[in-house]
Amino acid sequence: MSHKKPNAATLAVHAGGALPPMRSQPLDPPIYRNTTYRVESRQAVLDYNAGHPADLFFYGRYENPTVRALEQKLALLENAEAGLCFGSGMAAVSTTVFALLAGASGAGVDLARPLLCSSAIYGGAYRLFRDQLRALGLPVVFLPPEQIVEGAWPVHPCAVYVESPINPTLRLLDLRKVAARAHEVSALAVVDGTFAPPPLQHPLALGIDLVIHSGTKYLGGHSDLLAGAVLGSRELLARVEQWRKLLGGVLDPGAASELARSLKTLPVRLERQCQTAFELARRLERDRRVKAVLYPGLESHPDHALARRDLRAFGGMVTVELPGGLPAAARLYDGVRLFARAASLGSVESLISLPVDSSHVGYDDAELARAGVSPGMARLSVGLEDVEDLWEDLDQALPG
Ligand SMILES: Cc1ncc(COP(=O)(O)O)c(C=O)c1O
């Protein structure tokens, strides 16, 4: 290269712009928006290829310092060795399931060892497993959650996939039993814990191998970002990471920074959401316009004892069933003024949805019955508003 001063086009691309030397640290990691990294020499590339030294970053789809900082924070919150973040909850689910089905040995899918999956899981995951994975010839077997916990398993699975608490019934699975039974047949146990994020529930401490979260829900908490996360051991996550690199579902660094900010208020938000949800559940249970209230904190909930054992608080979701079936649920839905009629959950704003129209749309009657969903159900995601304002809203909208 000549020593003459580069011209403007070259300077514009290359000159300056490096981080200045700093004796102080920013409180939070900056957003590293770059997709690629300047290495010192070929040796660095060879080092990278030989085994990814932790301080060597190479390409944005593979690793990013902002995303990694978030993963460490999430791992601390979930008491996990490691974490991986994704662009959505479904990216976390699909990438993890591909890695599990592919097996540890690299020998490929063992058709005799399917994914054993609870039939009561998030509708998107259910459809992915039932339709897309099977269309690829990948082995998936569904069983009702009670049978996964207590009943006979007709297959020898490579992994067991459950959700707890379950949407929208808020039933809980005994995760200790799920993990123990999976391990007895040398399968891995995976739970989608989106409905009870840390510090409400710690599935890894109950023996579960991998916990998945839709970060779009409570972790993000403000209805303004999509994200997903998987937490577990370093060894298992190294397998999932191989798939994330190639499927390409890594979280965007801007969203990672926003999610890290949201996590700062997660325990405080949850505390308030759980308190308000419990109070609304108690009032709804006493109300003669309501047929049933599903909330794990109520003694009437079938899994109340398990909730007391495994949950630190009972969550921010409340499902009500109205005696007038779908027409009554629809009147509640259309009648609320403060609850937003909106999909999703876990946000600072209170939201209402009708499971038969949203999370369980397209299920036939048998599938609805298996999922414990009735047409008269309305699901409330309780936000941070004042409890009296929320109660007033429900009170004026409840039909009957
Ligand atoms: C329990 C559960 N898991 C996973 C997902 C998927 O998350 P995302 O919408 O972030 O892809 C959802 C979304 O509603 C969910 O409710």
Side-chain angles (χ1 to χ4, degrees):
M1 201 163 155
S2 86
H3 293 293
K4 86 172 177 48
K5 188 175 175 214
N7 71 20
T10 306
L11 283 174
V13 174
H14 286 286
L19 283 170
M22 294 166 76
R23 284 178 57 193
S24 49
Q25 288 283 314
L27 274 181
D28 293 299
I31 303 174
Y32 285 88
R33 284 224 168 268
N34 53 299
T35 54
T36 193
Y37 300 83
R38 195 189 296 276
V39 292
E40 274 170 13
S41 64
R42 177 171 179 247
Q43 187 55 47
V45 182
L46 297 181
D47 291 348
Y48 183 84
N49 292 343
H52 296 197
D55 59 350
L56 200 46
F57 292 80
F58 199 59
Y59 181 53
R61 202 179 71 240
Y62 301 163
E63 58 263 310
N64 174 286
T66 313
V67 176
R68 196 174 283 171
L70 168 67
E71 290 167 346
Q72 281 167 0
K73 196 177 176 79
L74 269 172
L76 285 169
L77 282 173
E78 193 58 282
N79 296 332
E81 248 176 47
L84 286 175
C85 285
F86 294 82
S88 70
M90 281 307 292
V93 170
S94 51
T95 308
T96 302
V97 163
F98 279 125
L100 293 173
L101 281 166
S105 58
V109 179
D110 182 349
L111 293 176
R113 297 203 62 187
L115 180 71
L116 176 59
C117 184
S118 161
S119 52
I121 55 169
Y122 166 62
Y126 184 72
R127 286 188 285 273
L128 171 76
F129 300 162
R130 186 194 59 188
D131 304 334
Q132 265 71 13
L133 293 191
R134 284 182 177 166
L136 291 172
L138 296 172
V140 183
V141 170
F142 290 101
L143 286 182
E146 314 77 69
Q147 194 174 344
I148 291 194
V149 179
E150 302 281 0
W153 291 1
V155 290
H156 181 194
C158 66
V160 183
Y161 182 102
V162 299
E163 182 176 310
S164 188
I166 299 173
N167 173 42
T169 57
L170 307 170
R171 295 289 311 259
L172 301 183
L173 272 71
D174 187 333
L175 295 179
R176 269 185 223 271
K177 281 194 185 159
V178 173
R181 297 194 77 189
H183 295 160
E184 265 170 35
V185 294
S186 59
L188 294 167
V190 185
V191 65
D192 179 336
T194 298
F195 274 56
L200 297 189
Q201 170 175 258
H202 289 287
L204 300 176
L206 303 174
I208 293 290
D209 299 291
L210 290 173
V211 186
I212 296 180
H213 291 286
S214 165
T216 314
K217 312 297 190 290
Y218 284 102
L219 305 184
H222 295 74
S223 312
D224 59 0
L225 63 86
L226 285 167
V230 185
L231 292 304
S233 70
R234 257 184 222 102
E235 188 193 337
L236 277 178
L237 288 189
R239 275 165 64 185
V240 180
E241 192 175 15
Q242 291 306 313
W243 282 82
R244 185 181 73 174
K245 279 183 171 173
L246 297 174
L247 291 175
V250 71
L251 183 62
D252 173 77
S257 174
E258 285 171 16
L259 185 49
R261 187 172 67 176
S262 288
L263 290 180
K264 294 186 182 203
T265 57
L266 176 68
V268 181
R269 280 187 278 120
L270 278 171
E271 194 179 327
R272 170 71 177 257
Q273 284 165 310
C274 291
Q275 270 169 12
T276 308
F278 204 167
E279 181 56 27
L280 292 177
R282 282 198 197 98
R283 293 188 193 187
L284 286 162
E285 194 177 42
R286 288 196 298 266
D287 198 298
R288 55 175 180 74
R289 294 168 293 178
V290 174
K291 181 173 163 192
V293 182
L294 304 176
Y295 185 72
L298 297 175
E299 280 178 21
S300 57
H301 191 278
D303 301 316
H304 179 63
L306 190 57
R308 290 182 74 96
R309 192 193 79 186
D310 286 353
L311 298 183
R312 187 157 154 184
F314 301 112
M317 304 296 296
V318 181
T319 298
V320 285
E321 189 179 3
L322 302 188
L326 183 57
R331 278 176 64 193
L332 172 64
Y333 185 79
D334 286 339
V336 289
R337 297 176 188 144
L338 192 53
F339 279 84
R341 286 173 283 279
S344 203
L345 62 120
S347 186
V348 295
E349 307 90 10
S350 291
L351 311 176
I352 185 169
S353 66
L354 301 183
V356 287
D357 289 347
S358 49
S359 56
H360 292 72
V361 68
Y363 280 44
D364 63 28
D365 288 348
E367 284 174 316
L368 285 179
R370 275 202 295 278
V373 176
S374 89
M377 281 180 178
R379 190 189 78 182
L380 308 173
S381 170
V382 176
L384 296 186
E385 303 89 338
D386 185 79
V387 64
E388 298 303 335
D389 290 332
L390 290 173
W391 174 246
E392 203 175 297
D393 192 30
L394 293 173
D395 190 34
Q396 64 79 30
L398 272 169

PDB file of all heavy atoms in Angstrom, residues 88-90 122 163 192 194-195 214 216-217 226-227 345, ligand 1:
ATOM      1  N   SER A  88     -37.102 -15.082  18.209  1.00  0.00           N
ATOM      2  CA  SER A  88     -38.479 -15.261  18.684  1.00  0.00           C
ATOM      3  C   SER A  88     -38.511 -16.520  19.533  1.00  0.00           C
ATOM      4  O   SER A  88     -37.558 -17.327  19.497  1.00  0.00           O
ATOM      5  CB  SER A  88     -39.456 -15.406  17.509  1.00  0.00           C
ATOM      6  OG  SER A  88     -39.260 -16.651  16.862  1.00  0.00           O
ATOM      7  N   GLY A  89     -39.601 -16.683  20.262  1.00  0.00           N
ATOM      8  CA  GLY A  89     -39.762 -17.913  21.028  1.00  0.00           C
ATOM      9  C   GLY A  89     -39.786 -19.123  20.108  1.00  0.00           C
ATOM     10  O   GLY A  89     -39.207 -20.167  20.412  1.00  0.00           O
ATOM     11  N   MET A  90     -40.460 -18.987  18.967  1.00  0.00           N
ATOM     12  CA  MET A  90     -40.550 -20.122  18.044  1.00  0.00           C
ATOM     13  C   MET A  90     -39.197 -20.472  17.436  1.00  0.00           C
ATOM     14  O   MET A  90     -38.933 -21.635  17.125  1.00  0.00           O
ATOM     15  CB  MET A  90     -41.579 -19.838  16.942  1.00  0.00           C
ATOM     16  CG  MET A  90     -43.020 -20.038  17.393  1.00  0.00           C
ATOM     17  SD  MET A  90     -43.340 -21.656  18.144  1.00  0.00           S
ATOM     18  CE  MET A  90     -43.140 -22.745  16.737  1.00  0.00           C
ATOM     19  N   TYR A 122     -48.201 -24.672  23.594  1.00  0.00           N
ATOM     20  CA  TYR A 122     -48.516 -23.503  22.768  1.00  0.00           C
ATOM     21  C   TYR A 122     -48.876 -23.947  21.334  1.00  0.00           C
ATOM     22  O   TYR A 122     -48.170 -24.791  20.747  1.00  0.00           O
ATOM     23  CB  TYR A 122     -47.318 -22.556  22.782  1.00  0.00           C
ATOM     24  CG  TYR A 122     -47.379 -21.494  21.730  1.00  0.00           C
ATOM     25  CD1 TYR A 122     -48.413 -20.556  21.723  1.00  0.00           C
ATOM     26  CD2 TYR A 122     -46.426 -21.426  20.716  1.00  0.00           C
ATOM     27  CE1 TYR A 122     -48.496 -19.593  20.736  1.00  0.00           C
ATOM     28  CE2 TYR A 122     -46.500 -20.458  19.734  1.00  0.00           C
ATOM     29  CZ  TYR A 122     -47.540 -19.552  19.747  1.00  0.00           C
ATOM     30  OH  TYR A 122     -47.620 -18.607  18.766  1.00  0.00           O
ATOM     31  N   GLU A 163     -44.938 -28.217  28.472  1.00  0.00           N
ATOM     32  CA  GLU A 163     -45.089 -26.796  28.824  1.00  0.00           C
ATOM     33  C   GLU A 163     -45.686 -26.745  30.233  1.00  0.00           C
ATOM     34  O   GLU A 163     -46.596 -27.510  30.549  1.00  0.00           O
ATOM     35  CB  GLU A 163     -46.046 -26.151  27.824  1.00  0.00           C
ATOM     36  CG  GLU A 163     -46.276 -24.669  28.028  1.00  0.00           C
ATOM     37  CD  GLU A 163     -47.162 -24.110  26.905  1.00  0.00           C
ATOM     38  OE1 GLU A 163     -46.870 -24.366  25.721  1.00  0.00           O
ATOM     39  OE2 GLU A 163     -48.149 -23.436  27.215  1.00  0.00           O
ATOM     40  N   ASP A 192     -41.157 -25.654  28.202  1.00  0.00           N
ATOM     41  CA  ASP A 192     -41.419 -24.267  27.844  1.00  0.00           C
ATOM     42  C   ASP A 192     -41.993 -23.617  29.096  1.00  0.00           C
ATOM     43  O   ASP A 192     -43.102 -23.928  29.523  1.00  0.00           O
ATOM     44  CB  ASP A 192     -42.426 -24.233  26.677  1.00  0.00           C
ATOM     45  CG  ASP A 192     -42.768 -22.810  26.248  1.00  0.00           C
ATOM     46  OD1 ASP A 192     -42.624 -21.879  27.066  1.00  0.00           O
ATOM     47  OD2 ASP A 192     -43.193 -22.624  25.097  1.00  0.00           O
ATOM     48  N   THR A 194     -42.506 -20.337  29.595  1.00  0.00           N
ATOM     49  CA  THR A 194     -42.869 -18.951  29.274  1.00  0.00           C
ATOM     50  C   THR A 194     -43.857 -18.341  30.271  1.00  0.00           C
ATOM     51  O   THR A 194     -43.755 -17.165  30.618  1.00  0.00           O
ATOM     52  CB  THR A 194     -43.482 -18.896  27.854  1.00  0.00           C
ATOM     53  OG1 THR A 194     -42.486 -19.333  26.930  1.00  0.00           O
ATOM     54  CG2 THR A 194     -43.944 -17.507  27.480  1.00  0.00           C
ATOM     55  N   PHE A 195     -44.825 -19.161  30.743  1.00  0.00           N
ATOM     56  CA  PHE A 195     -45.876 -18.619  31.616  1.00  0.00           C
ATOM     57  C   PHE A 195     -45.387 -18.355  33.037  1.00  0.00           C
ATOM     58  O   PHE A 195     -46.076 -17.683  33.793  1.00  0.00           O
ATOM     59  CB  PHE A 195     -47.096 -19.557  31.630  1.00  0.00           C
ATOM     60  CG  PHE A 195     -48.061 -19.289  30.513  1.00  0.00           C
ATOM     61  CD1 PHE A 195     -47.651 -19.315  29.194  1.00  0.00           C
ATOM     62  CD2 PHE A 195     -49.382 -18.973  30.775  1.00  0.00           C
ATOM     63  CE1 PHE A 195     -48.524 -19.053  28.161  1.00  0.00           C
ATOM     64  CE2 PHE A 195     -50.276 -18.702  29.750  1.00  0.00           C
ATOM     65  CZ  PHE A 195     -49.846 -18.746  28.439  1.00  0.00           C
ATOM     66  N   SER A 214     -40.426 -17.862  25.594  1.00  0.00           N
ATOM     67  CA  SER A 214     -40.674 -16.807  24.622  1.00  0.00           C
ATOM     68  C   SER A 214     -40.343 -15.503  25.343  1.00  0.00           C
ATOM     69  O   SER A 214     -41.072 -15.094  26.252  1.00  0.00           O
ATOM     70  CB  SER A 214     -42.131 -16.808  24.167  1.00  0.00           C
ATOM     71  OG  SER A 214     -42.387 -15.568  23.516  1.00  0.00           O
ATOM     72  N   THR A 216     -40.644 -12.727  24.188  1.00  0.00           N
ATOM     73  CA  THR A 216     -41.642 -11.756  23.742  1.00  0.00           C
ATOM     74  C   THR A 216     -42.638 -11.450  24.860  1.00  0.00           C
ATOM     75  O   THR A 216     -43.288 -10.405  24.839  1.00  0.00           O
ATOM     76  CB  THR A 216     -42.418 -12.371  22.549  1.00  0.00           C
ATOM     77  OG1 THR A 216     -41.478 -12.958  21.650  1.00  0.00           O
ATOM     78  CG2 THR A 216     -43.247 -11.350  21.828  1.00  0.00           C
ATOM     79  N   LYS A 217     -42.761 -12.375  25.818  1.00  0.00           N
ATOM     80  CA  LYS A 217     -43.801 -12.287  26.846  1.00  0.00           C
ATOM     81  C   LYS A 217     -43.256 -11.562  28.080  1.00  0.00           C
ATOM     82  O   LYS A 217     -42.905 -10.407  27.991  1.00  0.00           O
ATOM     83  CB  LYS A 217     -44.319 -13.696  27.146  1.00  0.00           C
ATOM     84  CG  LYS A 217     -44.664 -14.501  25.877  1.00  0.00           C
ATOM     85  CD  LYS A 217     -45.791 -13.839  25.110  1.00  0.00           C
ATOM     86  CE  LYS A 217     -46.371 -14.669  23.993  1.00  0.00           C
ATOM     87  NZ  LYS A 217     -45.556 -14.882  22.820  1.00  0.00           N
ATOM     88  N   LEU A 226     -39.652  -9.009  19.960  1.00  0.00           N
ATOM     89  CA  LEU A 226     -39.772 -10.467  19.824  1.00  0.00           C
ATOM     90  C   LEU A 226     -38.449 -11.088  20.233  1.00  0.00           C
ATOM     91  O   LEU A 226     -37.378 -10.593  19.837  1.00  0.00           O
ATOM     92  CB  LEU A 226     -40.028 -10.846  18.367  1.00  0.00           C
ATOM     93  CG  LEU A 226     -41.413 -10.599  17.781  1.00  0.00           C
ATOM     94  CD1 LEU A 226     -41.359 -10.732  16.262  1.00  0.00           C
ATOM     95  CD2 LEU A 226     -42.439 -11.560  18.343  1.00  0.00           C
ATOM     96  N   ALA A 227     -38.496 -12.137  21.026  1.00  0.00           N
ATOM     97  CA  ALA A 227     -37.252 -12.804  21.425  1.00  0.00           C
ATOM     98  C   ALA A 227     -37.569 -14.197  21.938  1.00  0.00           C
ATOM     99  O   ALA A 227     -38.717 -14.511  22.271  1.00  0.00           O
ATOM    100  CB  ALA A 227     -36.545 -12.006  22.518  1.00  0.00           C
ATOM    101  N   LEU A 345     -49.047 -12.035  25.794  1.00  0.00           N
ATOM    102  CA  LEU A 345     -49.228 -12.013  27.247  1.00  0.00           C
ATOM    103  C   LEU A 345     -47.952 -11.503  27.905  1.00  0.00           C
ATOM    104  O   LEU A 345     -46.926 -11.341  27.253  1.00  0.00           O
ATOM    105  CB  LEU A 345     -49.527 -13.437  27.758  1.00  0.00           C
ATOM    106  CG  LEU A 345     -48.421 -14.459  27.522  1.00  0.00           C
ATOM    107  CD1 LEU A 345     -47.935 -15.040  28.829  1.00  0.00           C
ATOM    108  CD2 LEU A 345     -48.899 -15.576  26.636  1.00  0.00           C
TER     109      LEU A 345
HETATM  110  C1  LIG B   1     -45.956 -20.699  25.809  1.00  0.00           C
HETATM  111  C2  LIG B   1     -45.426 -20.090  24.551  1.00  0.00           C
HETATM  112  N1  LIG B   1     -44.295 -20.585  24.014  1.00  0.00           N
HETATM  113  C3  LIG B   1     -43.773 -20.085  22.879  1.00  0.00           C
HETATM  114  C4  LIG B   1     -44.394 -19.045  22.212  1.00  0.00           C
HETATM  115  C5  LIG B   1     -43.786 -18.538  20.930  1.00  0.00           C
HETATM  116  O1  LIG B   1     -43.156 -17.327  21.177  1.00  0.00           O
HETATM  117  P1  LIG B   1     -42.921 -16.208  20.049  1.00  0.00           P
HETATM  118  O2  LIG B   1     -44.259 -15.646  19.699  1.00  0.00           O
HETATM  119  O3  LIG B   1     -41.989 -15.257  20.721  1.00  0.00           O
HETATM  120  O4  LIG B   1     -42.294 -16.900  18.872  1.00  0.00           O
HETATM  121  C6  LIG B   1     -45.553 -18.495  22.725  1.00  0.00           C
HETATM  122  C7  LIG B   1     -46.232 -17.392  22.019  1.00  0.00           C
HETATM  123  O5  LIG B   1     -47.381 -17.065  22.257  1.00  0.00           O
HETATM  124  C8  LIG B   1     -46.094 -19.029  23.931  1.00  0.00           C
HETATM  125  O6  LIG B   1     -47.236 -18.548  24.467  1.00  0.00           O
END
